[in-house]
Amino acid sequence: EDQVTQSPEALRLQEGESSSLNCSYTVSGLRGLFWYRQDPGKGPEFLFTLYSAGEEKEKERLKATLTKKESFLHITAPKPEDSATYLCAVQSGNTPLVFGKGTRLSVIA
Amino acid sequence: GAVVSQHPSWVICKSGTSVKIECRSLDFQATTMFWYRQFPKQSLMLMATSNEGSKATYEQGVEKDKFLINHASLTLSTLTVTSAHPEDSSFYICSARPTTPETQYFGPGTRLLVL
């Protein structure tokens, strides 16, 4: 059974204080690992898809990396508007995404 | 690109009535659509998966006679909550997946309040 574990559950950062969110996974044949951002009261917003170990993708202050067992979402010099819940999900085969419980990020000015 | 819309965004109804929520992929054809439910401060809970022209596949514990899903076209899926009760109050989110890339794109969600 595919499993996704995200850590920490919650993270509080000062503006400009870089950090990383972790997503550990076990899956029978990774087809893709996905990162989403979710703001309160809204649907998840797609950020990245990673397909193979060693792959990296960047978008503004965010950088996602992938190994065979985990993925990291690095946030460089975060701003208050980066505050959100970040969700990690994996897909194997033609199945629906399996989501982690998310990391609630708060960036304080 | 890859925009998914939901309508309505908010609905309040009386107990016992039925509510229909629409999910549309605006700029791509969605071979598969998904319906999720989310409670406050919890992650997404998959309710069902639907493929265009086929019956939906429901997750364990989800009543298919209560949550009717129709995937009538490659751009439209509907979720009907039949005989809604207060315990059905929740945030419902749809997701659509094109053939390629195999990324799920989410709608903005529909908040249902049953009085």
Side-chain angles (χ1 to χ4, degrees), chain B residues 23-26 28-30 33 52 71-77:
Chain B
C23 174
R24 294 180 183 273
S25 55
L26 298 184
F28 64 96
Q29 292 187 326
M33 286 186 166
E52 185 262 340
H71 192 160
S73 74
L74 287 173
T75 60
L76 173 65
S77 176

Side-chain angles (χ1 to χ4, degrees), chain A residues 78-100:
Chain A
K79 298 182 178 182
E81 53 262 41
D82 294 322
S83 298
T85 295
Y86 290 85
L87 299 169
C88 173
V90 296
Q91 184 183 24
S92 63
N94 197 28
T95 57
L97 297 179
V98 175
F99 280 90

Side-chain angles (χ1 to χ4, degrees), chain A residues 31 36 38 43 91 94 97 100, chain B residues 38 43 97 102-104 107-108:
Chain A
R31 198 158 177 170
Y36 292 87
Q38 187 176 23
Q91 184 183 24
N94 197 28
L97 297 179
Chain B
Q38 188 174 38
S43 193
R97 185 172 72 191
E102 293 183 358
T103 297
Q104 281 184 226

Side-chain angles (χ1 to χ4, degrees), chain A residues 31-43:
Chain A
R31 198 158 177 170
L33 183 140
F34 303 82
W35 282 99
Y36 292 87
R37 167 192 171 131
Q38 187 176 23
D39 293 298
K42 296 186 178 181

Side-chain angles (χ1 to χ4, degrees), chain A residues 6 26 58:
Chain A
Q6 290 188 247
T26 54
E58 289 188 65

Side-chain angles (χ1 to χ4, degrees), chain B residues 67-81:
Chain B
F67 299 100
L68 301 179
I69 292 172
N70 185 293
H71 192 160
S73 74
L74 287 173
T75 60
L76 173 65
S77 176
T78 60
L79 168 67
T80 301
V81 183

Side-chain angles (χ1 to χ4, degrees), chain B residues 82-108:
Chain B
T82 62
S83 187
H85 288 94
E87 58 265 31
D88 298 323
S89 299
S90 190
F91 190 49
Y92 292 88
I93 311 173
C94 75
S95 176
R97 185 172 72 191
T99 305
T100 57
E102 293 183 358
T103 297
Q104 281 184 226
Y105 299 98
F106 286 84

